Amino acid sequence: MDLGEFQIPGNSDPNQKTSHLSLDIGGSLIKLVYFSTNDGDDDDDDELGRSGKESVGVSNGNRSFPVLKGRLHFSKFETRKINDCLDFIQTQRLHIGGCQRLGALPIEKTIIKATGGGAYKYADLFKEKLGICLDKEDEMDCLVAGANFLLKAVHQEAFTYLDGKKEFVQIDHNDLYPYLLVNIGSGVSMIKVEGDGKFERVSGTNVGGGTFWGLGRLLTKCKSFDELLELSHQGNNRVIDMLVGDIYGGTDYSKVGLSSTTIASSFGKAISDKKELQDYQPEDIARSLLRMISNNIGQIAYLNALRFGLKRIFFGGFFIRGHAYTMDTIAVAVDFWSKGEAKAMFLRHEGFLGALGAFMSYEKHGLDDSMIHHLTQKFPMSSLVGDKICSPLNGELNDNESIECSVYAS
Amino acid sequence: MDLGEFQIPGNSDPNQKTSHLSLDIGGCQRLGALPIEKTIIKATGGGAYKYADLFKEKLGICLDKEDEMDCLVAGANFLLKAVHQEAFTYLDGKKEFVQIDHNDLYPYLLVNIGSGVSMIKVEGDGKFERVSGTNVGGGTFWGLGRLLTKCKSFDELLELSHQGNNRVIDMLVGDIYGGTDYSKVGLSSTTIASSFGKAISDKKELQDYQPEDIARSLLRMISNNIGQIAYLNALRFGLKRIFFGGFFIRGHAYTMDTIAVAVDFWSKGEAKAMFLRHEGFLGALGAFMSYEKHGLDDSMIHHLTQKFPMSSLVGDKICSPLNGELNDNESIECSVYAS
């Protein structure tokens, strides 16, 4: 996988190379975004490592910037397996610019953009193991930049999920703001976005993806987040949740609009002294847990959307993973309880907002708009089949999620 | 404790008696008079429907059903207006009773934390709307707590949480940021980023965690969540006071502290959390009040004096005994009309 060399203009130090790799190191997951030129271009490389795909691109008046065509790739690792991530970066040579691949002198200072708390927590580790200096970007800046980028530049990025149906949303660039961005990671941040770089983190909740995974692991011994989600498919939440009908003897509490199947108390039936933890099906536990957390996030999200008069709520982060029950619960919580005032929307590259935003921050020389024009999305319809969008873990590449694009090189 | 007999005026049927449900059954029968065929007891909550037949079969009691929200609100209004030192704030470990101005009571947000949670905007006597709620309530705490710790009761779970340390299981901002704050957005390093976030670790199983730590994290998670949803609704409707009812709190310091902080801090001081001494009895009290549908409510209120020795405030718990034990410190001296 070739990578074009990418330098911030004005940097004349040959020993300092920035690469087409950015990281978002969160509490539970490390997200990577990296650019590679299309395969098979090695033979065309000139002595500076520029591929034959390069051509002179846009000029901003002072200099022209050659354009490299390729793809943006997405990958993730569990934060606790950070060494696997380091190995991946090393073997794929993601941190190395073209110059180095030709056997030139070792680079002493490789600078990689990184966001998330781990950019601080693991700065030393990256230095020691790979000689990488992490250039830290603010987490919220990156989430918003990544979201704005995806919504404006990538075709069919956002979609609604109602009554079991996915529907892509056409984003009007002139009517994008304001919106509420809800990023569901280990924890949840809720950000009111009013423009490029114009935002405020207005809320959040500590009942997030980490809570689902942590409680789920304690209650079911699942080995992974995906395993827990898989379990929830077959579960029945009525075994463990106390419904309005359970309290009211089978009827609705219609006077206040609560149907008999509304959950009155999540896990409310588990107070029964007739059953112990091992007597419950892990599928039912997983389902109740997923419902409880999804519904709660949906509720706090719509309360904040109402608070600020926001009509659209975009959900990011790796909690959702295209899981039907999750999206349904969140969409219903938002749409129903806001009486249709607010709409829930999901993002295909949901978990990569931060890493994308960090990637965008390489481009601080004002060419952002031009770069956007070069992006075309290769998006085969087949990846919509079924109710899951696969987001592979631990280094596997899913080319269906990669984005064809060009980057400027100097 | 003697109770007077209480009849709705105009009811001339000697066989139909309405009684003081939450306390005892009418005096006449204790004197050995003829068995009453139809005893009518006011009842609210879902069980008034679910268990109506059971009461009929076992005790010959006919449950006169009153709406749950009506009763919660009636009970809350009654306590706030009639009972001395009913509501109190809890800040920095200190309880402080609130003087309720009868002319400035409304509007307020009533948050009743039972198995589930109801949030009611109260604008006057009988004037209210259930505006929100959450299914993450007392039943969730008890249910999840029982599954995770094998505790036999709610109180046992609360007791466990006393000794717990939430930092073992909760993922804090500092855990993600390598020890520092994320000050740019106002998150200190000790702020919980993700409840139970550390439990994803594959180095430990459920049995490797202390039940005290689990109980503490659970209590914190649920209390904080209720506090957050409560203040978001208070802000939504411009309500400055939030009264918490239901049996979730039980005078537990950590619970009240978590809720009070969530409300006061996140609303930037706009809203205030207040707790009620008779927190769990709002519905039953409201049902009791509904016997008095003949317009004597105001007069009845004047007869109430609160017997309330200061000693019950010692320590950080208000005892609320379960299963029929009477705690005379919480009883309210009063008179009722009889005809």
Side-chain angles (χ1 to χ4, degrees):
Chain A
M1 199 184 312
D2 286 343
L3 294 170
E5 195 178 297
F6 183 82
Q7 285 179 330
I8 291 172
N11 181 355
S12 55
D13 179 354
N15 286 330
Q16 191 170 55
K17 298 277 179 290
T18 49
S19 305
H20 292 132
L21 166 67
S22 63
L23 304 166
D24 175 2
I25 309 175
S28 307
L29 297 172
I30 305 172
K31 284 74 70 177
L32 292 81
V33 169
Y34 54 95
F35 171 83
S36 70
T37 50
N38 294 328
D39 288 346
D41 295 337
D42 284 12
D43 297 340
D44 296 333
D45 287 354
D46 62 20
E47 63 197 22
L48 290 179
R50 286 183 290 208
S51 81
K53 288 247 172 189
E54 182 187 307
S55 56
V56 174
V58 169
S59 160
N60 73 347
N62 291 329
R63 49 190 298 187
S64 0
F65 293 89
V67 171
L68 293 168
K69 287 196 186 138
R71 311 191 65 82
L72 273 181
H73 295 272
F74 303 88
S75 195
K76 69 185 192 299
F77 291 83
E78 289 181 27
T79 304
R80 62 187 172 195
K81 300 203 170 120
I82 192 163
N83 289 313
D84 290 353
C85 176
L86 292 170
D87 288 343
F88 178 74
I89 292 173
Q90 182 148 53
T91 52
Q92 301 293 332
R93 302 163 71 81
L94 302 183
H95 56 318
I96 295 174
C99 191
Q100 293 142 284
R101 290 187 306 100
L102 290 174
L105 293 167
I107 305 300
E108 288 175 2
K109 272 202 223 160
T110 304
I111 297 177
I112 302 283
K113 289 283 188 185
T115 188
Y120 297 83
K121 185 173 180 180
Y122 297 107
D124 291 345
L125 187 68
F126 274 80
K127 200 78 205 258
E128 289 159 23
K129 294 276 177 109
L130 294 178
I132 289 174
C133 184
L134 294 182
D135 185 8
K136 304 163 186 62
E137 291 289 330
D138 176 73
E139 186 180 336
M140 300 297 133
D141 281 350
C142 291
L143 286 175
V144 174
N148 284 345
F149 167 72
L150 286 169
L151 289 170
K152 283 190 282 188
V154 177
H155 183 54
Q156 294 189 330
E157 174 66 29
F159 60 96
T160 53
Y161 189 86
L162 284 168
D163 301 321
K165 265 192 62 180
K166 270 195 195 92
E167 242 183 66
F168 286 110
V169 175
Q170 192 71 13
I171 299 290
D172 177 356
H173 287 200
N174 299 318
D175 189 33
L176 176 57
Y177 309 110
Y179 66 83
L180 187 71
L181 176 62
V182 176
N183 195 61
I184 314 175
S186 305
V188 184
S189 284
M190 300 196 184
I191 308 166
K192 177 178 66 163
V193 184
E194 293 176 302
D196 266 324
K198 192 156 177 269
F199 62 86
E200 185 192 346
R201 184 185 186 276
V202 294
S203 191
T205 166
N206 46 289
V207 183
T211 312
F212 175 66
W213 190 350
L215 271 175
R217 187 182 146 73
L218 292 180
L219 291 166
T220 68
K221 314 222 179 304
C222 268
K223 300 271 178 288
S224 73
F225 188 96
D226 285 314
E227 199 184 320
L228 200 52
L229 274 190
E230 196 56 48
L231 263 189
S232 75
H233 266 301
Q234 292 100 283
N236 174 6
N237 80 294
R238 297 180 189 197
V239 176
I240 292 184
D241 292 339
M242 185 184 284
L243 311 183
V244 167
D246 293 318
I247 303 174
Y248 273 80
T251 62
D252 299 336
Y253 183 12
S254 40
K255 193 175 175 199
V256 294
L258 299 174
S259 87
S260 65
T261 55
T262 299
I263 300 172
S265 178
S266 287
F267 286 85
K269 285 209 183 84
I271 69 177
S272 160
D273 51 14
K274 293 187 174 61
K275 284 166 108 168
E276 302 296 328
L277 174 59
Q278 59 265 27
D279 301 319
Y280 292 98
Q281 296 293 327
E283 293 87 348
D284 298 337
I285 290 177
R287 188 119 170 144
S288 287
L289 203 53
L290 184 60
R291 178 69 174 265
M292 178 179 97
I293 290 172
S294 304
N295 188 65
N296 198 59
I297 291 172
Q299 177 175 25
I300 295 173
Y302 91 75
L303 282 172
N304 277 286
L306 286 186
R307 184 179 174 192
F308 297 102
L310 305 169
K311 307 274 183 235
R312 284 163 304 190
I313 309 179
F314 292 101
F315 289 88
F318 268 122
F319 176 69
I320 295 167
R321 305 189 183 202
H323 196 82
Y325 190 63
T326 310
M327 294 194 290
D328 188 63
T329 302
I330 291 176
V332 165
V334 168
D335 300 346
F336 182 74
W337 292 109
S338 70
K339 298 186 177 43
E341 291 285 316
K343 283 253 168 289
M345 281 176 278
F346 308 98
L347 302 168
R348 280 198 301 117
H349 295 88
E350 54 187 4
F352 292 105
L353 303 187
L356 268 166
F359 191 89
M360 302 302 289
S361 71
Y362 281 119
E363 289 249 295
K364 279 181 177 157
H365 52 294
L367 288 179
D368 296 72
D369 289 347
S370 309
M371 179 170 174
I372 283 165
H373 290 152
H374 282 81
L375 285 173
T376 55
Q377 168 75 68
K378 180 164 129 180
F379 183 39
M381 291 307 286
S382 63
S383 69
L384 279 184
V385 171
D387 67 325
K388 276 208 293 183
I389 291 176
C390 297
S391 196
L393 200 58
N394 295 337
E396 285 177 57
L397 300 170
N398 179 352
D399 277 342
N400 288 344
E401 298 310 319
S402 62
I403 298 174
E404 204 169 292
C405 68
S406 307
V407 297
Y408 291 100
S410 63
Chain B
M1 198 185 311
D2 283 345
L3 296 169
E5 192 180 299
F6 182 84
Q7 284 179 329
I8 293 173
N11 180 358
S12 53
D13 178 355
N15 285 331
Q16 192 170 55
K17 298 278 180 287
T18 51
S19 308
H20 294 137
L21 167 70
S22 42
L23 303 169
D24 203 340
I25 295 185
C28 190
Q29 291 141 284
R30 289 192 304 100
L31 292 175
L34 291 166
I36 305 300
E37 283 173 7
K38 271 201 225 165
T39 305
I40 297 178
I41 302 284
K42 289 282 189 186
T44 188
Y49 296 83
K50 185 173 178 180
Y51 296 106
D53 291 344
L54 186 68
F55 272 81
K56 201 78 203 261
E57 288 159 24
K58 294 277 174 110
L59 294 178
I61 290 174
C62 185
L63 294 183
D64 185 8
K65 305 166 186 60
E66 291 289 330
D67 176 72
E68 186 182 338
M69 301 295 133
D70 281 348
C71 291
L72 286 175
V73 173
N77 285 344
F78 167 71
L79 285 169
L80 289 170
K81 284 189 285 188
V83 177
H84 183 52
Q85 293 187 328
E86 173 66 31
F88 59 96
T89 53
Y90 189 86
L91 283 168
D92 301 321
K94 266 193 65 182
K95 267 193 198 94
E96 243 184 66
F97 286 109
V98 174
Q99 191 72 13
I100 300 288
D101 177 356
H102 289 200
N103 300 319
D104 189 34
L105 176 56
Y106 309 111
Y108 67 83
L109 186 71
L110 176 62
V111 176
N112 195 61
I113 314 174
S115 304
V117 184
S118 284
M119 301 194 182
I120 307 165
K121 178 178 68 165
V122 184
E123 295 177 300
D125 266 325
K127 194 158 176 268
F128 63 86
E129 185 192 346
R130 184 185 186 278
V131 294
S132 191
T134 166
N135 45 289
V136 183
T140 312
F141 175 66
W142 190 349
L144 272 175
R146 187 182 146 72
L147 293 181
L148 291 166
T149 67
K150 313 219 179 307
C151 268
K152 301 272 181 290
S153 72
F154 188 96
D155 284 315
E156 200 183 319
L157 200 51
L158 275 190
E159 195 54 49
L160 263 189
S161 76
H162 266 301
Q163 293 99 283
N165 173 7
N166 81 294
R167 298 180 189 197
V168 175
I169 291 184
D170 292 339
M171 186 185 282
L172 310 184
V173 168
D175 292 319
I176 304 176
Y177 273 78
T180 62
D181 298 336
Y182 184 9
S183 39
K184 192 174 176 198
V185 294
L187 299 174
S188 87
S189 66
T190 56
T191 298
I192 300 172
S194 177
S195 288
F196 286 84
K198 285 209 184 84
I200 70 176
S201 160
D202 50 14
K203 291 188 175 60
K204 284 166 108 170
E205 302 296 328
L206 174 58
Q207 58 265 26
D208 302 320
Y209 293 98
Q210 296 294 327
E212 293 85 351
D213 297 336
I214 290 177
R216 188 119 169 144
S217 287
L218 203 53
L219 184 59
R220 178 70 173 265
M221 178 179 97
I222 290 172
S223 303
N224 188 66
N225 198 59
I226 291 172
Q228 178 175 24
I229 295 174
Y231 91 77
L232 283 172
N233 277 286
L235 286 185
R236 184 179 173 192
F237 297 103
L239 305 169
K240 307 270 184 241
R241 283 162 305 189
I242 308 179
F243 293 101
F244 288 88
F247 268 122
F248 176 68
I249 295 166
R250 306 189 182 203
H252 196 82
Y254 190 63
T255 310
M256 293 194 289
D257 188 61
T258 303
I259 291 177
V261 165
V263 167
D264 300 344
F265 181 76
W266 293 109
S267 70
K268 297 185 174 46
E270 292 284 319
K272 285 250 168 290
M274 282 175 276
F275 307 98
L276 303 168
R277 281 197 302 117
H278 295 88
E279 54 186 3
F281 293 104
L282 303 187
L285 267 166
F288 189 88
M289 303 304 291
S290 73
Y291 281 118
E292 290 248 293
K293 278 182 178 158
H294 52 294
L296 288 178
D297 296 71
D298 290 345
S299 311
M300 180 170 176
I301 285 167
H302 290 153
H303 280 77
L304 284 174
T305 54
Q306 166 77 64
K307 180 165 124 182
F308 183 39
M310 292 308 284
S311 64
S312 70
L313 277 183
V314 172
D316 69 323
K317 277 209 293 189
I318 292 177
C319 297
S320 195
L322 201 58
N323 294 336
E325 284 178 60
L326 299 169
N327 180 349
D328 279 340
N329 287 344
E330 299 309 320
S331 62
I332 300 173
E333 204 168 294
C334 70
S335 309
V336 298
Y337 288 99
S339 63

